[in-house]
């Protein structure tokens, strides 16, 4: 274009010949196909988002363990969703209101292990992930270099050239916000329109999946503790030097320890 902007075009060229068939010149028609390409790109993004949701939904339904589920979802976001980077942070209820990075997948150079993250309402807690946890709502930055929330990290953002936009999706349970799913993109046209609700479906499923897995794990711990207490009680009863009998609600003796059997030999139970 005259203003220097580069746009996609479709060119149709035809050779013009004289009456003897000799080439004289070419006639070309150049058509600006910016809108068509934009529509094609939008459709491709939505198709990928649907495939991504389906893959993550399937994994969440069949999950048996929380950390494996989180890692698998991050991997699908990169490999199926074609996003360069994703990580999941879990909100901690400590004094610093820390965000613990549970897993990440994507660019191997993006090591989050040394990054201090918090969801507290302070300068370090003004980023997308922190705000998503604190407010329980989706946060989007289509240009990380200019978004006000990214001001504390503007030098680091300027130094890296890969990620231009990001979305933070809260992971909710019935009672609280469990954490955040962060996804990055290399262009500023991502995370808009119908793409956002599809990504939010992933975070809703994942939040419910985490809550379900934690409830299941708590139930298993309770069952294990009950079995251990029952085993301990049985051992204590067996070792007591005094007779102990256990009766059901109808008064029928259902168990007696060895001492009781010796003391009241002949009693049937």
């Amino acid at each position: 274009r005259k203003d220097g902007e580069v746009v996609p075009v479709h060119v149709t060229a035809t050779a013009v010949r004289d009456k003897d068939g000799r080439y004289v010149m070419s006639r070309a028609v150049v058509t600006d196909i910016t809108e068509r390409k934009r529509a094609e790109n939008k459709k491709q993004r939505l198709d990928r988002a649907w495939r991504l949701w389906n893959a993550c939904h399937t994994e969440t339904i069949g999950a048996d363990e929380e950390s494996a589920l989180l890692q698998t979802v991050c991997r699908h976001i990169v490999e199926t969703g074609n996003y360069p980077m994703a990580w999941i942070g879990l909100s901690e209820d400590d004094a610093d209101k820390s965000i613990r990075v549970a897993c990440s997948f994507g660019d191997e150079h993006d090591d989050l292990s040394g990054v201090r993250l918090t969801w507290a309402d302070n300068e370090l807690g003004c980023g997308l992930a922190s705000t998503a946890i604190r407010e329980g709502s989706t946060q989007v930055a289509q240009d990380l270099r200019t978004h006000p929330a990214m001001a504390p990290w503007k030098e680091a953002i300027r130094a890296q050239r890969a990620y231009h936009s990001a979305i933070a999706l809260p992971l909710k349970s019935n009672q609280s916000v469990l954490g955040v799913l962060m996804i990055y993109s290399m262009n500023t046209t991502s995370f808009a329109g119908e793409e956002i609700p599809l990504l939010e479906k992933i975070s809703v499923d994942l939040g419910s999946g985490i809550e379900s897995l934690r409830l299941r794990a708590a139930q298993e711990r309770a069952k294990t503790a009950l079995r251990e207490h029952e085993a301990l009680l049985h051992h204590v009863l067996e070792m007591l030097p005094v007779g102990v009998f256990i009766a059901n609600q109808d008064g029928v003796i259902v168990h007696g320890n060895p001492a009781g059997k010796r003391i009241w030999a002949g009693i049937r139970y």
Side-chain angles (χ1 to χ4, degrees):
R1 290 179 176 172
K2 292 181 179 180
D3 59 3
E5 181 184 0
V6 178
V7 297
V9 297
H10 179 265
V11 179
T12 302
T14 304
V16 178
R17 302 178 183 276
D18 62 17
K19 61 181 182 179
D20 297 321
R22 290 189 296 267
Y23 173 81
V24 176
M25 64 177 182
S26 294
R27 180 182 293 113
V29 177
V30 180
T31 305
D32 184 344
I33 58 171
T34 300
E35 292 303 318
R36 191 178 84 188
K37 295 298 292 184
R38 184 177 290 123
E40 290 175 354
N41 291 336
K42 177 182 178 181
K43 184 178 184 302
Q44 289 174 356
R45 287 198 307 272
L46 291 179
D47 287 345
R48 281 199 306 269
W50 272 113
R51 291 196 301 270
L52 175 59
W53 171 78
N54 184 63
C56 293
H57 183 70
T58 301
E59 294 290 348
T60 302
I61 291 176
D64 294 318
E65 198 271 328
E66 181 178 325
S67 61
L69 170 62
L70 301 186
Q71 187 64 42
T72 301
V73 167
C74 282
R75 177 174 58 81
H76 274 305
I77 289 171
V78 174
E79 295 181 350
T80 306
N82 202 32
Y83 297 100
M85 172 70 172
W87 60 270
I88 292 173
L90 300 177
S91 54
E92 300 287 340
D93 193 21
D94 56 6
D96 295 328
K97 295 185 176 180
S98 306
I99 300 176
R100 176 174 58 86
V101 178
C103 65
S104 63
F105 198 89
D107 193 333
E108 62 183 3
H109 299 296
D110 287 298
D111 183 9
L112 299 171
S113 59
V115 179
R116 181 187 173 191
L117 299 169
T118 176
W119 55 278
D121 191 6
N122 55 34
E123 184 181 12
L124 290 177
C126 68
L128 301 181
S130 309
T131 306
I133 292 176
R134 194 169 55 250
E135 298 184 0
S137 59
T138 299
Q139 304 294 314
V140 177
Q142 290 190 306
D143 192 339
L144 292 170
R145 296 164 297 182
T146 60
H147 196 282
M150 307 309 294
W153 303 277
K154 61 182 179 181
E155 295 301 326
I157 293 171
R158 188 177 294 116
Q160 64 88 20
R161 296 184 296 273
Y163 310 143
H164 290 164
S165 58
I167 186 170
L169 302 151
L171 306 176
K172 299 180 183 180
S173 70
N174 288 330
Q175 304 297 327
S176 62
V177 179
L178 304 174
V180 63
L181 168 61
M182 286 293 305
I183 307 175
Y184 297 84
S185 175
M186 291 186 290
N187 60 72
T188 57
T189 58
S190 297
F191 311 128
E194 298 170 73
E195 185 178 4
I196 293 178
L198 288 174
L199 295 176
E200 287 177 330
K201 285 168 66 71
I202 295 174
S203 67
V204 169
D205 283 351
L206 189 54
S208 298
I210 293 172
E211 184 178 34
S212 177
L213 289 172
R214 289 182 179 180
L215 177 60
R216 191 188 310 170
Q219 291 172 339
E220 288 300 320
R221 289 193 298 270
K223 290 178 181 178
T224 300
L226 179 60
R227 287 193 296 267
E228 291 174 350
H229 289 151
E230 289 176 343
L232 177 61
L233 177 60
H234 178 76
H235 176 72
V236 170
L237 289 177
E238 294 296 296
M239 298 300 294
L240 282 175
V242 296
V244 177
F245 294 91
I246 298 176
N248 62 20
Q249 59 185 5
D250 298 321
V252 179
I253 295 175
V254 295
H255 180 75
N257 68 348
K261 294 177 182 179
R262 290 193 298 270
I263 293 172
W264 287 321
I267 292 181
R268 303 179 65 85
Y269 53 81

